[in-house]
């Protein structure tokens, strides 16, 4: 099968994160077994009661993998009016479809690469790792990182980087912050506490924290410092009532070298200070997510090899990936795949056909380099 027909098959299987990924896993399992790999399923039930599966396919039944090619099976949702979403369509050398770029293109390239190699001749274990629920928090990869059913020496994590090897990435952290006030008629504000005004006081402090963070620089990122964002704010019940509650999300993306809870601690310090001077300042912080940043030495054999094989010097990514989970199981991990992240997650997502073919070649060379 060509890489295009494989991608067509993969795109035709609806695998948005809200559904079970059992269908696409069954397809991948069959392809891997046909290629002579041994497969192991790591199933679990998600919090909505839906079955999600990580699949690991290896040469031999090894628990010490030399090279892992990692692709997530889930996609973001698609607009039902986008007719190409599940029907891979080629125009002007581009292949359109949901997941074509993020990350079914990489998976198709990895399958095509292993099918072009004589796996029996490989001296060191190769694995394909297919994960669940990347788009909703890298949940599948995190499960593997927690349970550690195997170790890996090197990992290529498929994400759209236009084949540029990415050797470092910012962390991704999220907290929900809730301010509590006391309702009162707005004609008599002295009788209550507005949770919205309390939130405004804290937001001023958080803005100052974001400026403070700009003094710690990590060259190689754009922008070269930890960023934060308040993306959602909700509160209040009516225009003439002092708001009883106000909640907002705080998201931050840490540069490597900075602990993932650094921003949280700075914000907690501001909250403590506001509480000290105002007994009516009531605030709860629910730290929902803390994904580490990662950074691999530019002299790493994997970075050097992928720079040479792709012909592109290594870079960094500001979005979250499964690389930190692969590092947690012992791997040097680099993010690389066909397609551009800027066209991912939107109607009209595509992968350029020539990049897809070059990706097959890069992965084939990587298998020969690290496993032969
Ligand atoms: Zn992705």
């Amino acid at each position: 099968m060509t890489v295009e027909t494989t991608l067509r098959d993969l795109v035709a299987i609806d695998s948005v994160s809200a559904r079970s990924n059992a269908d696409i896993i069954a397809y991948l399992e069959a392809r891997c077994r046909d290629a002579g790999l041994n497969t192991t399923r790591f199933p679990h039930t998600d919090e909505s009661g839906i079955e999600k599966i990580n699949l690991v396919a290896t040469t031999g039944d090894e628990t010490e993998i030399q090279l892992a090619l990692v692709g997530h099976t889930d996609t973001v949702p698609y607009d039902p009016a986008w007719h190409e979403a599940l029907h891979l369509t080629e125009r002007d050398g581009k292949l359109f479809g949901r997941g074509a770029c993020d990350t079914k293109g990489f998976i198709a390239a990895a399958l095509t690469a292993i099918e072009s190699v004589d796996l029996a001749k490989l001296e060191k274990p190769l694995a394909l790792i297919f994960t669940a629920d990347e788009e909703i928090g890298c949940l599948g990869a995190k499960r593997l990182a927690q349970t550690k059913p195997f170790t890996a020496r090197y990992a290529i994590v498929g994400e759209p980087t236009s084949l540029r090897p990415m050797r470092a990435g910012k962390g991704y952290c999220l907290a929900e912050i809730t301010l509590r006030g006391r309702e009162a008629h707005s004609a008599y504000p002295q009788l209550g506490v507005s949770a919205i005004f309390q939130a405004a006081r804290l937001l001023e402090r958080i803005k100052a924290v974001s400026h403070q963070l700009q003094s710690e620089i990590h060259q190689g990122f754009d922008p070269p410092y930890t960023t934060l964002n308040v993306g959602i704010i909700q509160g209040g019940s009516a225009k003439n009532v002092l708001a009883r509650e106000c909640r907002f999300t705080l998201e931050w993306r840490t540069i490597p070298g900075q602990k993932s809870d650094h921003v949280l601690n700075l914000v907690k310090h501001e909250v403590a200070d506001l509480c000290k001077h105002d007994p009516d300042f009531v605030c709860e912080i629910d730290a929902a997510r803390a994904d580490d940043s990662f950074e691999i030495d530019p002299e790493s054999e994997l970075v050097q090899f992928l720079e040479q094989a792709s012909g592109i010097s290594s870079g960094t990514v500001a979005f979250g990936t499964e690389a930190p989970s692969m590092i947690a199981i012992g791997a040097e991990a680099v993010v690389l795949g066909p397609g551009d992240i800027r066209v991912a997650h939107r109607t009209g997502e595509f992968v350029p056909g020539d990049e897809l073919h070059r990706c097959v070649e890069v992965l084939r060379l990587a298998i020969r380099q690290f496993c032969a």
Side-chain angles (χ1 to χ4, degrees):
M1 279 179 80
T2 67
V3 66
E4 288 91 350
T5 51
T6 299
L7 181 57
R8 178 165 298 125
D9 286 353
L10 293 171
V11 166
I13 304 169
D14 189 347
S15 61
V16 300
S17 311
R19 302 168 58 102
S20 173
N21 68 339
D23 291 348
I24 191 166
I25 288 292
Y27 176 91
L28 295 168
E29 190 174 50
R31 284 288 294 268
C32 288
R33 284 190 180 163
D34 287 349
L37 294 170
N38 296 322
T39 60
T40 310
R41 286 181 176 219
F42 296 90
H44 79 281
T45 306
D46 74 9
E47 54 186 24
S48 306
I50 296 169
E51 185 185 39
K52 299 294 173 69
I53 304 160
N54 289 319
L55 181 75
V56 178
T58 54
T59 53
D61 52 358
E62 301 290 344
T63 53
E64 286 177 30
I65 295 160
Q66 175 71 5
L67 175 66
L69 309 180
V70 186
H72 64 82
T73 58
D74 62 319
T75 69
V76 293
Y78 54 88
D79 182 346
W82 180 26
H83 298 299
E84 294 165 355
L86 302 180
H87 304 280
L88 192 75
T89 306
E90 182 165 8
R91 271 193 310 280
D92 308 326
K94 298 168 181 168
L95 298 154
F96 294 83
R98 172 55 81 229
C101 165
D102 187 6
T103 287
K104 291 177 175 177
F106 176 86
I107 293 176
L111 285 173
T112 309
I114 61 151
E115 287 168 353
S116 72
V117 170
D118 186 350
L119 298 176
K121 289 201 177 133
L122 296 182
E123 301 228 319
K124 295 172 191 161
L126 167 72
L128 300 192
I129 300 178
F130 301 113
T131 58
D133 288 348
E134 190 271 351
E135 297 290 359
I136 52 172
C138 300
L139 303 181
K142 283 178 186 169
R143 288 187 81 84
L144 291 176
Q146 276 161 9
T147 54
K148 294 188 174 58
F150 51 82
T151 60
R153 177 81 187 82
Y154 299 104
I156 300 175
V157 176
E159 279 294 325
T161 68
S162 303
L163 298 184
R164 184 175 189 187
M166 300 299 195
R167 59 168 199 86
K170 283 184 176 178
Y172 182 85
C173 310
L174 186 67
E176 189 170 81
I177 300 183
T178 306
L179 283 300
R180 303 211 185 277
R182 278 198 317 276
E183 284 188 337
H185 194 297
S186 62
Y188 307 100
Q190 73 278 16
L191 299 179
V193 176
S194 164
I196 291 176
F197 277 152
Q198 299 293 51
R201 294 169 69 201
L202 180 56
L203 286 168
E204 273 301 319
R205 301 277 188 111
I206 288 173
K207 204 170 147 197
V209 165
S210 86
H211 285 296
Q212 186 187 332
L213 289 168
Q214 294 181 14
S215 61
E216 208 173 316
I217 297 290
H218 189 298
Q219 290 302 348
F221 283 94
D222 176 25
Y225 44 80
T226 294
T227 58
L228 59 79
N229 182 47
V230 175
I232 301 171
I233 186 164
Q234 289 167 318
S237 58
K239 65 182 188 303
N240 52 359
V241 177
L242 267 68
R244 188 165 49 84
E245 189 179 278
C246 182
R247 53 178 68 211
F248 60 86
T249 59
L250 177 65
E251 178 204 69
W252 63 100
R253 295 167 190 268
T254 50
I255 51 174
Q258 198 174 74
K259 287 224 165 71
S260 58
D261 61 0
H262 177 58
V263 171
L264 191 63
N265 289 334
L266 292 174
V267 172
K268 280 181 175 168
H269 178 81
E270 297 301 330
V271 168
D273 188 59
L274 287 162
C275 286
K276 199 166 74 186
H277 297 102
D278 178 0
D280 283 333
F281 195 89
V282 181
C283 176
E284 285 159 26
I285 300 179
D286 178 17
R289 193 169 157 188
D291 294 1
D292 285 331
S293 57
F294 80 97
E295 183 166 32
I296 299 297
D297 188 335
E299 301 304 316
S300 142
E301 194 185 344
L302 183 61
V303 174
Q304 297 275 314
F305 169 79
L306 289 174
E307 285 187 336
Q308 207 223 335
S310 68
I312 309 172
S313 62
S314 63
T316 65
V317 284
F319 57 90
T321 70
E322 296 171 314
S325 294
M326 292 303 117
I327 290 167
I329 61 166
E332 283 180 22
V334 172
V335 182
L336 174 141
D340 187 331
I341 191 72
R342 288 169 294 189
V343 305
H345 295 202
R346 69 182 203 199
T347 297
E349 171 180 353
F350 68 87
V351 66
D354 62 332
E355 273 181 32
L356 195 58
H357 284 271
R358 290 215 316 277
C359 188
V360 175
E361 187 56 18
V362 168
L363 297 180
R364 213 171 55 78
L365 291 171
I367 293 166
R368 208 167 60 188
Q369 175 78 11
F370 292 96
C371 297

